[in-house]
Amino acid sequence: MKLILLGAPGAGKGTVAKRLTAIDGSVQISTGDILRGAVKEGTELGKQAEAFMKAGDLVPDDLIMGIMEERLQEDDCKNGFLLDGFPRTIPQAEALKGLLTRINAQLDFVVNLDVPRDVILDRLTTRRTCVDCGAIYNVKSMPTKVEGVCDKCGGKVVQRDDETEEAISNRLDVYNAKTAPLVDFYGKEGMLLSVTATSSDLVVSTIQEKLGL
Ligand code: AMP
């Protein structure tokens, strides 16, 4: 499958993407994970992105398009891909359209994960992430077996730098201003599937049904 997962931070894009990869071998492409990896490794990209990320602002479109141009042409994308956290602005969506045409790939559709703001705020403040493998936990609903240690890889499980109350509030404002307009953009293209996303089971089964999988 070739999908875009749209939705506010904390809407469950990463969780849904990870579950969908298990269905047909499509790869999850998270620009946030790629950028966090670059920051951790101290690469040039990481240095350029770090301050924007920490404040909860968007990284400039040209850096993001540079990443995606390369990533979408890697071999593992041939089985399909789930775009998680990209595109996040209208210019990124326009550039993606051109890129997909050039590499001869066609999206199935764009899933909009619709979640009430109070649920999102609660999820983000209680979310914890493994710094090594990116596994996602929640101190209330899905804690690690041993506090601070990833069940899957033994890595350190932490609250992300951009999951302070201030950065979260900024990320949600940025989402409303820059990313929410993509719902209309893809609606007009006839590509949109909107799902009320309080349960990831429901989201996954709705997508499977729509794809006939
Ligand atoms: P995420 O893990 O998707 O919430 O992304 C974490 C942070 O990485 C965001 O708050 C942005 O600073 C940056 N980021 C990730 N994807 C993008 C994108 N497509 N465009 C701009 N910035 C991005």
Side-chain angles (χ1 to χ4, degrees), residues 32-50 53 129-134 153-158 161:
D33 283 349
I34 294 172
L35 290 166
R36 276 184 291 279
V39 169
K40 199 172 153 208
E41 282 168 29
T43 64
E44 192 50 40
L45 170 68
K47 285 182 194 139
Q48 288 178 306
E50 191 167 11
M53 294 175 73
T129 307
C130 173
V131 292
D132 288 335
C133 75
C153 78
K156 212 167 138 189
V157 173
V158 300
D161 265 1

Side-chain angles (χ1 to χ4, degrees), residues 48-59:
Q48 288 178 306
E50 191 167 11
F52 294 105
M53 294 175 73
K54 197 156 182 186
D57 289 327
L58 292 183
V59 171

Side-chain angles (χ1 to χ4, degrees), residues 31-32 35-36 52-53 56-59 64 85-86 88 92 160 162 171:
T31 38
L35 290 166
R36 276 184 291 279
F52 294 105
M53 294 175 73
D57 289 327
L58 292 183
V59 171
I64 299 291
F86 168 85
R88 256 184 161 93
Q92 289 180 20
R160 280 167 40 175
D162 61 356
R171 282 164 68 204

Side-chain angles (χ1 to χ4, degrees), residues 109-164:
F109 48 87
V110 176
V111 186
N112 179 39
L113 307 185
D114 199 7
V115 183
R117 191 181 165 102
D118 55 334
V119 176
I120 295 235
L121 275 176
D122 186 56
R123 275 191 197 166
L124 287 177
T125 46
T126 53
R127 177 157 85 177
R128 299 292 182 269
T129 307
C130 173
V131 292
D132 288 335
C133 75
I136 297 164
Y137 298 92
N138 185 291
V139 288
K140 285 197 208 157
S141 58
M142 215 199 7
T144 51
K145 291 198 182 85
V146 179
E147 201 188 324
V149 181
C150 181
D151 293 352
K152 299 194 174 94
C153 78
K156 212 167 138 189
V157 173
V158 300
Q159 183 161 28
R160 280 167 40 175
D161 265 1
D162 61 356
E163 284 174 358
T164 61

Side-chain angles (χ1 to χ4, degrees), residues 3-211:
L3 301 180
I4 292 175
L5 299 173
L6 268 186
K13 301 184 295 293
T15 304
V16 167
K18 285 190 176 70
R19 293 185 48 182
L20 291 172
T21 57
I23 294 173
D24 74 345
S26 304
V27 284
Q28 174 190 11
I29 303 180
S30 154
T31 38
D33 283 349
I34 294 172
L35 290 166
R36 276 184 291 279
V39 169
K40 199 172 153 208
E41 282 168 29
T43 64
E44 192 50 40
L45 170 68
K47 285 182 194 139
Q48 288 178 306
E50 191 167 11
F52 294 105
M53 294 175 73
K54 197 156 182 186
D57 289 327
L58 292 183
V59 171
D61 290 336
D62 55 342
L63 283 183
I64 299 291
M65 290 317 301
I67 296 173
M68 290 309 293
E69 182 91 40
E70 274 184 29
R71 184 65 188 88
L72 279 175
Q73 297 190 64
E74 283 173 28
D75 267 356
D76 60 352
C77 291
K78 297 217 160 63
N79 297 327
F81 48 77
L82 303 154
L83 303 183
D84 159 14
F86 168 85
R88 256 184 161 93
T89 64
I90 298 276
Q92 289 180 20
E94 299 275 15
L96 174 64
K97 208 168 159 182
L99 172 57
L100 290 174
T101 307
R102 268 183 283 126
I103 64 174
N104 204 14
Q106 207 175 359
L107 290 175
D108 294 301
F109 48 87
V110 176
V111 186
N112 179 39
L113 307 185
D114 199 7
V115 183
R117 191 181 165 102
D118 55 334
V119 176
I120 295 235
L121 275 176
D122 186 56
R123 275 191 197 166
L124 287 177
T125 46
T126 53
R127 177 157 85 177
R128 299 292 182 269
T129 307
C130 173
V131 292
D132 288 335
C133 75
I136 297 164
Y137 298 92
N138 185 291
V139 288
K140 285 197 208 157
S141 58
M142 215 199 7
T144 51
K145 291 198 182 85
V146 179
E147 201 188 324
V149 181
C150 181
D151 293 352
K152 299 194 174 94
C153 78
K156 212 167 138 189
V157 173
V158 300
Q159 183 161 28
R160 280 167 40 175
D161 265 1
D162 61 356
E163 284 174 358
T164 61
E165 224 166 280
E166 198 186 344
I168 288 171
S169 153
N170 188 37
R171 282 164 68 204
L172 292 176
D173 290 345
V174 168
Y175 174 79
N176 287 330
K178 304 265 177 64
T179 310
L182 294 181
V183 174
D184 239 24
F185 177 94
Y186 286 115
K188 284 190 185 123
E189 304 243 316
M191 302 276 286
L192 199 67
L193 173 72
S194 250
V195 194
T196 304
T198 35
S199 131
S200 60
D201 281 346
L202 179 68
V203 177
V204 170
S205 61
T206 307
I207 293 170
Q208 267 185 296
E209 203 173 302
K210 174 104 182 176
L211 288 167

